[in-house]
């Protein structure tokens, strides 16, 4: 098929003056863009999935995504992660965070960027947090590729993650007897890519949680503080497939923060437990150390170890800036 781009002569009949030269050129580029996009789309549509059809005994009728198992055990590490285990307190000031993750498992090596920002809303007791994996690179071996029913033959590629929008409300703060209480609502959008490689679910999710925590002095000079905390909530996400349209899970976490001078050590255990039982009950252990300098930038190093239904050992390095 031969595609003829509009000539400058035909465009001149619409925009006769020289003042519209930029507009004419823009129109030509827009038309060229759509021609290239249409041609590329045609090539994508012709990709051969015969190997996948034979490997997974496709019946020729069922949509391919119904073969996927939408659970953390059968997707990439950023698709359905265990959420941040909160300590009962909202952040004291606005901040931005940029990090780099390395996830290592048998059959899947993943590297990704991580971005997060927090902004107070209306008062210091209400805030909004946005978080995103802007870019992920992954390498799966054929065993993992086939176990997850992924359709990318090489098991390798790039993906973009889901945007998470979180609202935080401080219900109780610095009460002489009661613990601090933080209520959180989180919405996960269906903005992630590469469902074909079981990297992100292409479906929304939401969660609610309450966290409780309280500070205790360990020494009279107040240089040592410990903050035990606990969290529980409810997590829902949409499934691919037609047997269960969504999965409902109990969300939990507990741990403590230890603060000394200019450093904060955190250790926590958390996860969630879905009702289907298809690898939907991940549990992870996390430990991190963060600087608490009175400066524009701070650093954080976090280690995460999967215990159940999450077969990754993960390392994250964050750079944090306060606004």
């Amino acid at each position: 098929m031969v595609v003829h781009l509009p000539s400058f002569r035909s465009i001149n009949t619409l925009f006769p003056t020289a003042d519209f030269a930029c507009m004419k050129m823009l129109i030509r580029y827009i038309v060229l863009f759509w021609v290239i996009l249409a041609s590329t789309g045609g090539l994508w549509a012709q990709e051969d999935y015969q190997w996948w059809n034979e490997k997974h005994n496709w019946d020729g009728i069922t949509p391919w995504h119904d073969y996927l198992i939408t659970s953390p055990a059968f997707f990439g590490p950023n698709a359905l992660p265990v959420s941040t285990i909160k300590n009962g307190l909202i952040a004291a000031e606005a901040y931005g965070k940029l990090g780099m993750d390395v996830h290592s498992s048998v059959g899947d090596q993943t590297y990704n960027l991580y971005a997060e920002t927090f902004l107070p809303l209306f008062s210091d007791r209400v805030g909004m947090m946005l978080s995103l994996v802007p870019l992920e690179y992954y390498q799966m071996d054929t065993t993992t590729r086939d176990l997850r029913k992924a359709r990318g033959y090489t098991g390798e590629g790039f993906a973009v993650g889901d945007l998470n929008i979180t609202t935080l409300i401080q219900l109780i703060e610095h009460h002489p007897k009661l613990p601090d209480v933080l209520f959180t609502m989180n919405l996960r959008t269906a903005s992630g890519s590469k469902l074909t490689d079981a990297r992100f679910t292409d479906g929304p999710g939401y969660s609610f949680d309450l966290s409780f925590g309280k500070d205790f002095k360990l020494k009279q000079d107040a240089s040592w503080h410990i903050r035990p905390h606990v969290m529980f909530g409810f997590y829902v996400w949409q499934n691919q497939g037609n047997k269960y349209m969504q999965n409902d899970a109990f969300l939990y976490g507990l741990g403590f923060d230890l603060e000394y001078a200019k450093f904060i050590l955190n250790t926590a255990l958390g996860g969630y437990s879905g009702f289907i039982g298809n690898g939907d009950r991940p549990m992870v252990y996390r430990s991190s150390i963060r600087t608490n300098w009175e400066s524009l930038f701070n650093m954080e190093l976090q280690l995460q170890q999967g215990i159940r239904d999450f077969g990754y050992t993960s390392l994250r390095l964050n750079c944090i800036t306060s606004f």
Side-chain angles (χ1 to χ4, degrees), residues 33-47 49:
F33 169 78
W34 283 108
V35 169
I36 294 173
L37 185 64
S39 302
T40 307
L43 293 175
W44 288 341
Q46 297 171 11
E47 187 169 351
Y49 290 113

Side-chain angles (χ1 to χ4, degrees), residues 26-299:
L26 178 61
I27 292 175
R28 288 181 64 88
Y29 280 130
I30 290 174
V31 174
L32 180 61
F33 169 78
W34 283 108
V35 169
I36 294 173
L37 185 64
S39 302
T40 307
L43 293 175
W44 288 341
Q46 297 171 11
E47 187 169 351
D48 184 13
Y49 290 113
Q50 186 62 34
W51 70 270
W52 187 92
N53 300 340
E54 295 174 356
K55 172 70 68 173
H56 302 292
N57 300 315
W58 184 50
D59 59 13
I61 301 173
T62 306
W64 65 267
H65 49 73
D66 284 4
Y67 286 74
L68 299 175
I69 303 173
T70 314
S71 71
F74 292 93
F75 265 71
N78 295 306
L80 295 163
V82 176
S83 64
T84 301
I85 301 168
K86 304 166 192 72
N87 65 0
L89 272 182
I90 197 169
E93 56 189 358
Y95 68 82
K97 182 184 294 187
L98 183 62
M100 174 69 185
D101 291 344
V102 178
H103 307 274
S104 180
S105 74
V106 177
D108 185 358
Q109 301 297 313
T110 301
Y111 311 87
N112 67 266
L113 298 175
Y114 176 77
E116 176 182 310
T117 186
F118 170 80
L119 296 171
L121 299 177
F122 316 119
S123 74
D124 58 358
R125 299 175 70 93
V126 180
M128 180 178 69
M129 184 173 69
L130 304 176
S131 61
L132 172 71
V133 172
L135 185 65
E136 174 188 279
Y137 173 70
Y138 56 91
Q139 293 177 312
M140 294 182 290
D141 63 18
T142 55
T143 301
T144 303
R145 179 201 67 186
D146 295 341
L147 183 66
R148 297 177 181 179
K149 312 295 195 301
R151 281 163 68 84
Y153 184 75
T154 65
E156 180 180 357
F158 292 90
V160 176
D162 299 314
L163 173 65
N164 293 273
I165 305 171
T166 306
T167 302
L168 304 98
I169 303 173
Q170 190 74 58
L171 301 180
I172 301 176
E173 183 178 18
H174 304 320
H175 191 277
K177 294 183 179 180
L178 298 176
D180 301 318
V181 181
L182 179 67
F183 175 63
T184 302
M185 300 176 288
N186 182 72
L187 171 66
R188 194 193 76 233
T189 64
S191 55
S193 67
K194 288 299 182 73
L195 176 66
T196 53
D197 278 356
R199 304 311 299 183
F200 294 93
T201 67
D202 194 27
Y206 62 87
S207 65
F208 304 93
D209 63 71
L210 279 170
S211 59
F212 306 82
K214 197 167 184 63
D215 287 326
F216 296 96
K217 294 181 180 179
L218 291 181
K219 291 187 176 182
Q220 293 299 322
D221 61 5
S223 60
W224 288 83
H225 286 82
I226 189 169
R227 181 179 183 83
H229 51 83
V230 63
M231 179 187 80
F232 62 86
F234 186 63
Y235 181 26
V236 177
W237 68 93
Q238 180 180 309
N239 280 323
Q240 298 292 340
N242 53 21
K243 185 175 182 180
Y244 298 104
M245 296 305 295
Q246 70 177 38
N247 202 335
D248 307 328
F250 170 69
L251 183 66
Y252 61 90
L254 73 160
F256 66 87
D257 300 334
L258 180 63
E259 181 176 351
Y260 174 70
K262 301 299 181 181
F263 295 92
I264 300 175
L265 174 68
N266 170 268
T267 185
L269 181 73
Y272 55 86
S273 184
F275 81 92
I276 298 176
N278 61 349
D280 58 356
R281 298 169 183 173
M283 179 185 294
V284 299
Y285 169 77
R286 290 177 181 150
S287 182
S288 67
I289 185 168
R290 172 183 169 172
T291 62
N292 194 27
W293 303 322
E294 295 179 0
S295 64
L296 185 61
F297 292 99
N298 279 281
M299 303 299 293

Side-chain angles (χ1 to χ4, degrees), residues 305-322:
Q305 177 61 55
I307 298 174
R308 182 181 63 205
D309 286 347
F310 193 85
Y312 294 90
T313 299
S314 307
L315 191 66
R316 171 180 292 176
L317 178 63
N318 287 322
C319 178
I320 307 168
T321 180
S322 300

